[in-house]
Amino acid sequence: MDNKLIFLDVDGTLTLPGRNDPPESALRAIRAAQACGHKVFLCSGRNCDMLRPLLRYGFDGAVASSGGYVFLGDRVLYDCPMTEEQKACALRLFAENGVLLTIEAKDASYCDAGMGEFLRSASGGNSELLRWREALEQELGIRPMWEYDGRPIYKMEFMCMHPEQLVPARHALEREFRFLMPDMPEAGYLNGELVNRRFDKGRGIRRVCEALGVPLEDTIGFGDSVNDLEMIETVGVGVCMDNGSPTLKRKSDLVCPAVAEDGLARAFEKLGLVKSGRGHELE
């Protein structure tokens, strides 16, 4: 088969959410695919700082920050942070309406104080949910908001209790930004991402293809959530994990087993990206 460009979402696709340790089966499949001449890229909402623990596995580049920062090896293909005016407006309107934020620069992320107390209250004291958030912040190196030093911001994640809290920010920002909300929302609160309309994962993939002179039909994308929709709609073959969003499953060409069930390795074999081995065949 022709050499392919393979794009992998991270949380819920390559790894369990918030983790930096892909299954060994996935790493073997990625190395085997690269040995066959394919190139493998991360394609994630994570910024470069959050991707750093994974880049050590030898990926060929990344579409980071949901497409806001794209690089191929040492070559930067696209770099699009928020303007200072956009950032100031978003920070003010979210703060005025009690919306908690995680803001993401290229090389650092910062989280509002009170996130733990918010989740404790919103989840009715669900200690499992609270432990997950605390582990996520520690695993991904998220810093407290008071340490933020003004560096450029690419994306924001928000949490609040009521849709009305988002109305002022939507009114001011929705022309230039998408408010991405999961189609499987968490019980008790709202969460989502503020992403610039100037980019998305699909356009990031197009930039990589143009740089390498590879047609889109020779691309394969793997994802699990609605923020992977543009990726799945852009690539030649779209694959959704079985643990993924119902919306994304309907849009994908293939649904593979969950991340914890060797899904990537089995899909790589099914698609002929690696030589077939025993124990990972898809029905």
Side-chain angles (χ1 to χ4, degrees), residues 50-237:
M50 293 182 184
L51 290 178
R52 187 172 293 112
L54 294 165
L55 290 171
R56 66 187 178 91
Y57 292 114
F59 290 96
D60 295 287
V63 176
S65 296
S66 295
Y69 190 85
V70 183
F71 60 93
L72 172 62
D74 295 329
R75 177 184 172 192
V76 177
L77 303 181
Y78 188 68
D79 186 356
C80 184
M82 301 171 76
T83 67
E84 288 299 311
E85 293 77 15
Q86 289 170 335
K87 179 180 70 173
C89 180
L91 290 174
R92 177 178 59 82
L93 290 173
F94 283 131
E96 288 177 352
N97 291 277
V99 179
L100 295 175
L101 291 178
T102 300
I103 62 174
E104 299 177 8
K106 181 179 72 173
D107 50 4
S109 299
Y110 306 87
C111 181
D112 270 329
M115 189 71 74
E117 183 58 38
F118 171 83
L119 286 174
R120 187 178 294 108
S121 173
S123 63
N126 185 333
S127 58
E128 181 179 351
L129 181 62
L130 184 59
R131 284 196 300 271
W132 174 83
R133 176 68 196 193
E134 290 171 345
L136 180 69
E137 292 182 17
Q138 182 176 6
E139 186 83 6
L140 299 182
I142 300 175
R143 306 177 188 178
M145 190 67 79
W146 61 264
E147 291 186 10
Y148 176 56
D149 57 5
R151 67 187 69 190
I153 296 298
Y154 290 75
K155 186 165 67 76
M156 298 183 180
E157 298 183 8
F158 54 83
M159 285 188 182
C160 61
M161 293 293 292
H162 307 292
E164 293 79 11
Q165 293 173 266
L166 298 175
V167 171
R170 280 187 180 276
H171 180 75
L173 298 168
E174 204 152 28
R175 180 176 295 181
E176 296 178 329
F177 292 86
R178 293 174 294 149
F179 285 69
L180 297 179
M181 312 281 281
D183 59 354
M184 296 185 295
E186 298 288 347
Y189 66 94
L190 300 172
N191 68 291
E193 296 178 312
L194 184 73
V195 180
N196 201 316
R197 292 188 184 274
R198 293 179 63 185
F199 56 76
D200 55 52
K201 289 185 177 183
R203 279 181 277 185
I205 288 170
R206 289 179 182 273
R207 291 184 170 97
V208 174
C209 288
E210 291 168 3
L212 292 173
V214 174
L216 285 172
E217 54 263 35
D218 286 335
T219 61
I220 302 171
F222 291 77
D224 72 299
S225 66
V226 290
N227 65 6
D228 296 314
L229 185 58
E230 289 84 5
M231 172 176 69
I232 294 298
E233 291 176 337
T234 299
V235 294
V237 177

